[in-house]
Structures are given as structure tokens and as C-alpha cells.
């Protein structure tokens, strides 16, 4: 469907107004439940954030979406730290070096504040840290590029604490095709990628199918002997044509596998209006380049000007809940979790879920939709901890 820029601007402005009016306020009951429950977030980009511009997240910070005081306020106590390596570094020594540096940065957070944080390598660690009042920092690698086609690297990163690998990111790599990349050099997984799936099963490493192409997803499901995760993906039903999200058939296959989809909060993952806004901005920029050239002064501060004239259509907490509802309706309560993408999606977070202090708002929204306390706990952590435990158990049995 095509829109004129004027019509698109009106549509997006209305969406932004609707978002502002749909905020959910957390009750004391919701705040208490958030703090009394382990909350696992499948994907937070703190390591790359502090690598680009160092801040001490053990204390309050002025920007970003995560720091210790806000995590305590929101009840977040087991965020997976994303060890993100850009796709441009695929299969290079630089990718491996950066991954190690980002792991170092997570270890440094714990070293600065061992009374606040601890590295979590197992489900038992997460539960024990919760009892001790510590925030667990399990780690996942976003983009398998640092493996460099060498299983020894996989084992080394496991020893360093990496507990899931997102097989690809924004480009096809030596492991898998990417949902964002029109090049499908492997038509799914590479020969090495297929071997990697088996070895990840064997050592107890969670397989993350966020970012991979549809073909790669189905091949992973066919090959894996343990449940898999989508650490930060939402549903294509609400964002038609956006392959980065999962369609209903994929969600059903994930359910049959026993896995869990962890819902991404970024507005562009939640609503088609946010995706259309991004497309409209690109169209407007390209039109200026076409008519006035790449040196046009209108391109200076273009995005800020465009945002002022066309307010970004932030999604709402209610629309995030729609994604959770849809998963539950398709495959049941046991297969959905949270993968916010905090510190990774920039200024695109929904009203009511602007940073990690807002998890009680999510709990309140679930309560308002008549989810039971036991079901809310499954969404907050029970489902992902169950999958992680099953992956640990499979590896333990394969070694015996």
C-alpha cells in the first residue's frame, strides 16, 4: 500500500496522539509483583552502549535505558547482556576481539559493584542471585561472526559466559542468512551453521533465531535437539512484510519445539505505523537527493526536522501486550517472554515502557487483561528459565 507524504503524516500524527493517551499506570500490587518475581529480559544492549560512550551503569545515568537504580525500581534482575558485533565484521579477527572486549565490559560492571551485580552462567545462578538480592548478568552474543568458523571459538566463548548466540545480524554471515539481507547465499544455514547448531546443543548453548531468514529458522527447528529462543522478536501479524518478526506458522513451529519468543519493545517491531514512518522518512530524504543533490542544505539535521514535522508514532504498552496475547492464543502461555531491546532501539520505545524502570507497567497491563499471577511469572521469567534448563539438561545428557 502506498501513501502520499501528507496522508502519511496525518496518519502518524494521529497514531502518536493515541499512544500518548494509552499509558498504563502501575498499581502497588503490580510494583510488588515485579519486585517479588525474577524478571529475565532476553536482550539489553548495555555492553555496546558503554563501549561507544562509557558510563557507569552501576550508578544512575543521564541517558540510556538501563542502570542499577532504574533496574531496581522496575524489578529487573536478570537482563541478558547483549555482546553485539556489527555485521560488517563477519568472520574476522576484529569481530572476535570486539566480542571479548564487550565481555570484559560486563565483567567490569560486576567488578565495580559485586554487591549489586553477578555474572550468571546457569539457571541456578539466576535463582541464587535473586535470593541474594543481586542482579544477574547472563550474556548472549548477538551475531555469530566472532566464531569465525572455528568450534574452538564457540567453546571459548561458552567458557567466558556466553549462553546464547544470535546466529546472524543485519547481513548474511558465515553461519546463516539474515532476515534483513536480500542476499541469500546459503538459502538458510551454511554447512558450518548446521554443524554449529549441533555443537551448541551439545555444550548447552541456547540457539537464538532472532534476525535469521525464514529458511534458516525452519532449518534450525529441523536440526536442533533442544528448544530454541527468539531473544528479541515480535510478530509479523502486526507488521506485515517485516521478515525480522516471526509469522504465525513460525510461532507455531517454535511452540512445537518447546521454545520461547521474547517480545521486542521497539515501536518498529510492534506496529506497522512505526515501520511506515521510517519508510516515509527514507522516501523524503531520497526525494531531496533526487531533486536537489546529495549536497542539499536540507539534508543537514534532516531527521530532526522530519521528526518535528512528522511526529514519530510511538507504539503503546497496550500494543506490546497485543503481541503477547497473540502468542498465547496461538501456542499457549508457556512460550512467550520479554526481549525488550533496551539500549538497542534508540528513541523508539513505547509509551509506558521507556526504560527498565517501567516493568511494573507491563505487569499491570497483564493484570488488566486477566492474566493470573502464575501466568505473569511465566512471561516474566518462568518460560525462558524452563527453556534454558532444558538446554542445560540436554547438554548434560549428551556428555554422559
Amino acid at each position: 500500500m502506498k501513501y502520499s507524504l501528507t496522508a502519511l503524516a496525518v496518519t502518524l500524527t494521529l497514531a502518536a496522539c493515541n499512544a500518548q493517551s494509552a499509558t498504563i499506570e502501575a498499581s502497588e500490587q503490580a510494583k510488588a509483583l515485579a519486585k517479588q518475581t525474577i524478571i529475565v529480559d532476553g536482550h539489553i544492549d548495555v555492553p555496546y552502549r558503554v563501549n561507544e560512550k562509557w558510563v557507569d551503569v552501576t550508578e544512575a545515568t543521564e541517558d540510556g535505558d538501563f542502570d542499577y537504580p532504574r533496574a531496581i525500581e522496575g524489578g529487573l534482575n536478570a537482563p541478558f547482556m547483549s555482546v553485539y558485533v556489527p555485521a560488517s565484521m563477519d568472520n574476522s579477527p576484529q569481530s572476535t576481539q570486539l566480542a571479548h572486549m564487550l565481555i570484559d565490559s560486563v565483567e567490569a560492571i560486576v567488578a565495580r559493584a559485586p554487591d549489586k551485580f553477578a555474572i550468571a552462567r546457569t539457571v541456578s545462578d539466576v535463582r541464587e542471585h535473586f535470593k541474594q538480592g543481586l542482579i544477574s548478568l547472563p550474556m548472549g552474543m548477538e551475531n555469530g561472526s566472532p566464531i569465525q568458523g572455528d568450534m574452538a571459538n564457540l567453546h571459548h566463548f561458552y567458557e567466558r559466559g556466553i549462553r546464547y548466540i544470535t546466529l546472524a545480524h543485519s547481513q548474511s554471515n558465515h553461519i546463516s542468512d539474515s532476515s534483513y539481507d536480500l542476499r541469500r547465499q546459503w538459502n538458510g544455514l551454511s554447512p558450518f551453521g548446521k554443524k554449529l547448531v549441533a555443537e551448541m546443543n551439545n555444550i548447552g548453548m541456547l540457539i537464538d533465531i532472532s534476525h535469521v531468514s525464514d529458511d534458516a529458522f525452519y532449518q534450525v527447528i529441523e536440526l536442533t535437539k533442544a528448544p530454541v529462543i527468539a531473544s528479541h522478536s515480535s510478530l509479523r501479524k502486526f507488521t506485515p512484510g517485516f521478515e525480522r518478526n516471526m509469522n504465525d506458522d513460525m510461532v507455531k513451529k517454535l511452540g512445537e519445539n518447546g521454545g520461547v519468543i521474547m517480545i521486542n519493545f521497539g515501536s518498529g517491531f510492534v506496529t506497522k505505523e512505526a515501520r511506515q514512518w521510517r519508510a516515509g522518512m527514507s522516501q523524503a530524504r531520497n526525494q531531496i537527493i533526487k531533486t536537489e543533490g546529495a549536497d542539499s542544505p536540507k539534508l543537514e539535521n534532516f531527521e530532526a526536522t522530519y521528526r518535528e514535522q512528522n511526529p514519530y508514532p510511538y507504539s503503546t504498552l497496550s500494543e506490546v501486550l497485543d503481541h503477547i496475547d497473540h502468542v498465547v492464543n496461538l501456542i499457549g502461555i508457556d512460550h512467550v517472554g520479554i526481549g525488550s531491546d533496551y539500549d538497542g532501539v534508540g528513541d523508539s520505545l513505547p509509551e509506558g515502557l521507556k526504560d527498565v524502570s517501567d516493568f511494573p507497567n507491563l505487569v499491570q497491563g497483564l493484570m488488566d487483561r486477566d492474566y493470573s499471577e502464575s501466568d505473569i511469572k511465566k512471561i516474566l521469567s518462568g518460560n525462558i528459565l524452563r527453556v534454558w534448563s532444558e538446554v542445560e539438561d540436554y547438554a548434560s545428557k549428551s556428555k554422559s
Side-chain angles (χ1 to χ4, degrees):
M1 184 177 294
K2 296 183 178 179
Y3 295 86
S4 70
L5 290 181
T6 301
L8 181 61
V10 171
T11 299
L12 298 181
T13 300
L14 288 173
C17 292
N18 290 337
Q20 292 175 354
S21 65
T23 302
I24 296 172
E25 294 293 335
S27 64
E28 291 304 314
Q29 182 183 359
K31 293 176 183 177
L33 183 55
K35 294 192 176 184
Q36 293 164 6
T37 305
I38 295 174
I39 298 180
V40 178
D41 189 320
H43 191 92
I44 294 186
D45 280 290
V46 167
Y48 201 77
R49 169 190 167 197
V50 300
N51 182 68
E52 289 201 307
K53 181 182 178 182
W54 188 85
V55 290
D56 186 359
V57 296
T58 70
E59 307 290 345
T61 59
E62 293 183 0
D63 55 10
D65 308 323
F66 174 94
D67 56 40
Y68 180 76
R70 285 183 283 175
I72 291 297
E73 182 181 351
L76 175 63
N77 35 49
F80 270 88
M81 296 285 97
S82 172
V83 175
Y84 161 66
V85 176
S88 59
M89 293 184 174
D90 182 42
N91 200 21
S92 70
Q94 292 77 19
S95 69
T96 306
Q97 179 179 359
L98 176 57
H100 283 301
M101 289 172 61
L102 296 182
I103 295 170
D104 287 347
S105 73
V106 178
E107 293 175 341
I109 291 170
V110 173
R112 283 198 305 278
D115 58 327
K116 299 176 180 177
F117 297 100
I119 301 291
R121 298 169 180 269
T122 65
V123 173
S124 295
D125 285 346
V126 172
R127 298 192 189 283
E128 185 59 31
H129 296 159
F130 180 67
K131 293 177 184 177
Q132 297 173 3
L134 297 171
I135 294 179
S136 291
L137 297 181
M139 290 182 283
M141 180 183 290
E142 185 179 26
N143 189 5
S145 290
I147 303 303
Q148 292 190 67
D150 187 345
M151 293 299 180
N153 282 329
L154 172 69
H155 286 262
H156 190 52
F157 281 119
Y158 182 87
E159 291 302 316
R160 291 214 62 190
I162 295 296
R163 286 301 178 268
Y164 75 65
I165 295 177
T166 316
L167 300 181
H169 191 252
S170 58
Q171 296 177 17
S172 175
N173 64 12
H174 74 283
I175 297 169
S176 173
D177 290 337
S178 164
S179 61
Y180 283 122
D181 195 340
L182 294 178
R183 299 171 301 164
R184 301 297 161 102
Q185 62 173 325
W186 308 115
N187 293 316
L189 298 174
S190 72
F192 175 78
K194 294 175 181 178
K195 295 177 182 177
L196 185 69
V197 167
E199 190 61 13
M200 289 174 71
N201 282 168
N202 290 337
I203 68 173
M205 182 89 78
L206 290 152
I207 299 167
D208 178 21
I209 53 78
S210 289
H211 281 286
V212 304
S213 68
D214 287 5
D215 285 341
F217 164 80
Y218 286 112
Q219 290 170 21
V220 168
I221 293 297
E222 183 177 345
L223 291 168
T224 185
K225 303 300 182 182
V228 305
I229 66 170
S231 69
H232 58 306
S233 295
S234 297
L235 302 179
R236 209 175 299 174
K237 170 183 171 62
F238 301 98
T239 57
F242 184 37
E243 189 176 345
R244 171 65 178 80
N245 278 347
M246 297 179 69
N247 66 30
D248 285 4
D249 183 69
M250 296 166 75
V251 173
K252 291 175 182 177
K253 291 293 185 184
L254 186 72
E256 293 171 7
N257 162 264
V260 61
I261 175 173
M262 309 181 79
I263 301 300
N264 192 311
F265 292 173
S267 292
F269 292 82
V270 176
T271 67
K272 62 183 179 181
E273 288 80 14
R275 301 218 61 75
Q276 290 167 351
W277 182 93
R278 184 68 59 181
M281 183 175 71
S282 296
Q283 182 181 348
R285 180 193 291 274
N286 291 337
Q287 186 64 31
I288 291 173
I289 294 173
K290 180 179 179 180
T291 57
E292 302 183 24
D295 296 329
S296 171
K298 293 181 182 178
L299 295 177
E300 295 182 16
N301 302 314
F302 171 81
E303 183 168 345
T305 301
Y306 186 85
R307 281 180 177 270
E308 183 177 345
Q309 297 173 349
N310 306 276
Y312 185 76
Y314 293 103
S315 62
T316 66
L317 192 163
S318 180
E319 287 166 329
V320 172
L321 294 170
D322 290 342
H323 285 251
I324 294 174
D325 284 351
H326 190 63
V327 176
V328 173
N329 290 335
L330 278 176
I331 57 174
I333 191 63
D334 296 324
H335 304 283
V336 63
I338 299 163
S340 66
D341 216 348
Y342 280 133
D343 277 332
V345 289
D347 180 26
S348 74
L349 290 159
E351 301 297 334
L353 290 173
K354 290 299 186 184
D355 61 37
V356 296
S357 69
D358 285 333
F359 279 110
N361 295 342
L362 181 72
V363 173
Q364 184 64 55
L366 292 168
M367 291 168 58
D368 291 346
R369 295 195 180 197
D370 296 325
Y371 282 87
S372 68
E373 183 173 315
S374 62
D375 284 349
I376 291 172
K377 289 181 176 181
K378 286 184 177 183
I379 294 167
L380 296 180
S381 62
N383 292 334
I384 180 59
L385 293 180
R386 186 253 316 156
V387 170
W388 189 357
S389 292
E390 291 180 16
V391 169
E392 290 178 340
D393 291 344
Y394 179 85
S396 178
K397 292 175 183 176
S398 70
K399 294 172 185 175
S400 60

